[in-house]
């Protein structure tokens, strides 16, 4: 009778192992599928590359790369710190959501400009588009 219980235990263990592997593969597959849907040709998921094209000399020409969210301002808590008196501590943010990059002014004193117009709410920007915070001009790169 003992060998029968051992056989049941061995089979149960094998079933448990295969079930664990199956669930692991399903979770990995769903995660990869989700990532491929989100990236949709924009490089890494939510990757934001910005190039400073005009502004303070210490950052002019620099390219910054971030994932999903960026804050621009004078504050040391900002991702891109620009030492310019025309820029607020928390001037603007860029957020990657639903396969789009949104530019938003954070209540800055001098405003955020996209295509020469002051933005008043979250605004979708595309690769190659330029925007301005204070006296600094930035381009969204691929």
């Amino acid at each position: 009778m003992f060998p029968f219980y051992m056989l049941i235990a061995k089979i149960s263990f094998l079933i448990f192992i295969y079930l664990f592997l199956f669930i692991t593969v399903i979770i990995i597959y769903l995660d990869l599928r989700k990532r491929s849907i989100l990236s949709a040709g924009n490089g890494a998921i939510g990757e934001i590359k910005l190039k400073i094209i005009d502004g303070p000399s210490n950052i002019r020409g620099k390219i910054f790369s971030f994932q999903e969210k960026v804050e621009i301002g004078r504050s040391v808590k900002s991702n891109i710190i620009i030492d310019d008196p025309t820029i607020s501590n928390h001037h603007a943010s860029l957020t990657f959501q639903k396969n789009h990059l949104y530019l938003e002014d954070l209540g800055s004193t001098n405003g955020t400009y996209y295509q020469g117009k002051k933005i008043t709410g979250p605004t979708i920007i595309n690769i190659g588009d330029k925007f301005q915070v204070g006296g600094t001009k930035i381009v969204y790169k691929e």
Side-chain angles (χ1 to χ4, degrees):
M1 197 181 269
F2 181 71
F4 177 72
Y5 289 120
M6 287 299 289
L7 179 64
I8 296 292
K10 287 179 182 179
I11 291 173
S12 297
F13 181 72
L14 285 174
I15 290 172
F16 174 76
I17 293 293
Y18 282 113
L19 186 62
F20 174 79
L21 289 173
F22 177 73
I23 291 171
T24 303
V25 168
I26 294 295
I27 289 171
I28 291 170
Y29 169 76
L30 291 174
D31 187 53
L32 290 174
R33 187 169 166 229
K34 177 182 169 187
R35 288 176 186 262
S36 68
I37 289 170
L38 286 176
S39 65
N42 286 334
I45 298 172
E47 184 178 24
I48 303 169
K49 284 187 180 179
L50 303 172
K51 181 177 182 179
I52 309 296
I53 54 176
D54 190 20
S57 60
N58 64 327
I59 61 168
R60 190 178 307 130
K62 282 192 176 181
I63 297 174
F64 297 90
S65 184
F66 299 96
Q67 296 293 321
E68 297 180 12
K69 185 171 174 114
V70 177
E71 186 176 306
I72 302 169
R74 284 190 330 215
S75 170
V76 293
K77 294 181 181 179
S78 297
N79 301 105
I80 299 177
I81 301 168
I82 303 174
D83 189 22
D84 178 346
T86 63
I87 294 179
S88 299
N89 283 331
H90 303 281
H91 196 101
S93 70
L94 292 119
T95 308
F96 205 92
Q97 294 177 343
K98 298 179 184 174
N99 225 16
H100 295 288
L101 183 63
Y102 290 86
L103 173 64
E104 184 174 9
D105 185 78
L106 299 176
S108 67
T109 304
N110 294 316
T112 301
Y113 293 83
Y114 172 67
Q115 296 182 340
K117 295 180 182 175
K118 190 174 185 176
I119 63 171
T120 57
T123 304
I124 295 175
I125 67 169
N126 300 303
I127 293 173
D129 287 351
K130 298 172 185 169
F131 62 95
Q132 184 171 339
V133 292
T136 302
K137 294 179 182 172
I138 303 170
V139 65
Y140 173 36
K141 306 268 299 167
E142 186 166 12

